[in-house]
Amino acid sequence: MSQQPHDDSASVTSQPVALAPDPHGPMPSVSMPQVELPVEAREYHHFWRTPLWSWWRPVVAVVVGLLVFLVVSTIAGALAIGIDVATGRTSQSELEKMGSGQVNATPALFLSNNLALALLIPLALLISKGLFRQGPGWLASVTGRMRWGWMGRCFAVLLPLWLLYTGLDLWTRSQTPEGLGLHVNGDTWLLLAGILLTTPFQAAGEEYGFRGVLNRSAAGFFRHRGVALVVGALFSSALFMLAHGAGDLWLNIFYFCFGLVACGMTWRTGGIEAAIAMHVVNNLLGELLMPFTDISGIFDRQAGTADASVLIGVAVTLVGWALVEWQARRAQVVRSSAPGRERQRELEAKLAAWQQQVIAWQQAQAQPRS
């Protein structure tokens, strides 16, 4: 399953070098474009470290990405609240409580949150193309495309693990006096459809945004790939944790560790396919019972809402990483590439030819004219 990087026709920022043929004419001029893809083997997190790289590009990427997402999520949340108020789902008193941070989740709020996170996919692709001149495929993997077969393989090994974990968790909860408290209600079918249709895109959006844009933005500041890996993983995982808005220590530990494992998978496989698979499986199965329960408290992440048992979930993600690593070695997935290397060599050859033109021109200028 080893895939070779394919050529990207839009790999430079200007037209090829033009050489002046007449040594007795004006001094030859040259326009040296900057290659936009790596010219030496780069791993996923370091893929924006190219000849085009400048310090301001990742800064703008992070600032613009966060601001645009804040605006989009605010609009989406406002629309959801508007729908709930108009339909009588949210009362005036509940609306006032939202101002103090007490949010009772509704299907509209849940789905608007999912859709806002799903929009991170086009936002991340626009940032990659607009600021780093790399097409959509290069944000998926170092091969320049989404490796669907490899992603399917990741789903195949991760799904059984999460089914076992979820099944044991549900069995444990069912043994408590409260039980699971499952029942069909007025939101059941809307939530079922909404979860199946939006959660995969929500999970993928977070991977494009956090493991893609934020990870690469921070990593690009460092030449050493090891330092870049650590800084990119810590930076993106910290923001991933903060984005969940949890006030509970144990939940924050889980979110941070989940982000680190996703970064590790991305590094070891050369793309975000494995991280997307883990995220989709985790979220879909985690939301399995939502349509049959009261969802008003799903956004409650205050201190005390979790305990040390979340470390089991962390252990499951580590086992998942081990399974992905096993499959990656068997499939010999591409972990790094240098798709801009040939283009760089072409430009260097043209530069050498231009230098010869300049020498010839200088020699011609030094000769006495009759």
Side-chain angles (χ1 to χ4, degrees), residues 151-168 265 274 276-286 288 316 319-321 323-324 327:
M151 184 187 287
R153 196 163 181 162
C154 292
F155 272 114
V157 296
L158 293 173
L159 183 58
L161 172 65
W162 254 264
L163 283 172
L164 176 62
Y165 168 53
T166 304
L168 289 174
M265 284 184 175
I276 289 176
M278 179 179 71
H279 209 146
V280 170
V281 168
N282 179 79
N283 286 15
L284 276 179
L285 293 183
L288 184 65
V316 170
V319 174
W321 185 3
L323 291 173
V324 167
Q327 288 299 307

Side-chain angles (χ1 to χ4, degrees), residues 114-137:
N114 267 12
L115 291 174
L117 289 167
L119 289 176
L120 284 174
I121 298 175
L123 176 59
L125 297 180
L126 287 172
I127 288 173
S128 180
K129 184 63 177 177
L131 286 172
F132 300 93
R133 303 293 190 268
Q134 294 184 4

Side-chain angles (χ1 to χ4, degrees), residues 25-252:
M27 179 177 177
S29 62
V30 65
S31 172
M32 281 300 294
Q34 293 175 307
V35 180
E36 298 161 346
L37 294 170
V39 297
E40 57 185 87
R42 296 287 192 192
E43 294 168 323
Y44 182 90
H45 63 282
H46 228 191
F47 216 72
W48 282 349
R49 188 77 188 192
T50 69
L52 182 68
W53 190 91
S54 298
W55 68 267
W56 61 269
R57 294 181 189 275
V59 173
V60 173
V62 172
V63 173
V64 169
L66 293 177
L67 287 177
V68 171
F69 175 70
L70 179 62
V71 170
V72 170
S73 59
T74 300
I75 293 174
L79 289 173
I81 293 172
I83 292 173
D84 285 336
V85 171
T87 57
R89 183 67 182 255
T90 299
S91 65
Q92 186 62 37
S93 61
E94 290 175 324
L95 195 60
E96 293 172 356
K97 290 180 180 179
M98 288 184 183
S100 60
Q102 299 181 27
V103 178
N104 287 331
T106 65
L109 277 173
F110 169 76
L111 294 176
S112 70
N113 181 66
N114 267 12
L115 291 174
L117 289 167
L119 289 176
L120 284 174
I121 298 175
L123 176 59
L125 297 180
L126 287 172
I127 288 173
S128 180
K129 184 63 177 177
L131 286 172
F132 300 93
R133 303 293 190 268
Q134 294 184 4
W138 298 112
L139 196 57
S141 77
V142 297
T143 66
R145 66 183 184 85
M146 182 67 77
R147 299 167 294 187
W148 296 105
W150 165 240
M151 184 187 287
R153 196 163 181 162
C154 292
F155 272 114
V157 296
L158 293 173
L159 183 58
L161 172 65
W162 254 264
L163 283 172
L164 176 62
Y165 168 53
T166 304
L168 289 174
D169 178 61
L170 293 179
W171 179 83
T172 302
R173 288 162 55 189
S174 70
Q175 302 307 302
T176 63
E178 298 81 9
L180 296 176
L182 303 181
H183 60 280
V184 176
N185 55 65
D187 297 327
T188 294
W189 305 116
L190 173 61
L191 282 172
L192 269 177
I195 289 170
L196 292 175
L197 293 175
T198 66
T199 293
F201 295 101
Q202 167 261 320
E206 291 188 26
E207 293 310 313
Y208 270 96
F210 290 93
R211 259 57 72 183
V213 172
L214 295 179
N215 183 22
R216 282 184 171 182
S217 293
F221 279 98
F222 301 90
R223 292 180 182 274
H224 191 281
R225 68 184 184 91
V227 175
L229 172 66
V230 172
V231 173
L234 291 176
F235 177 73
S236 60
S237 298
L239 288 182
F240 180 71
M241 175 189 73
L242 294 174
H244 285 81
D248 184 85
L249 174 63
W250 293 109
L251 284 178
N252 281 322

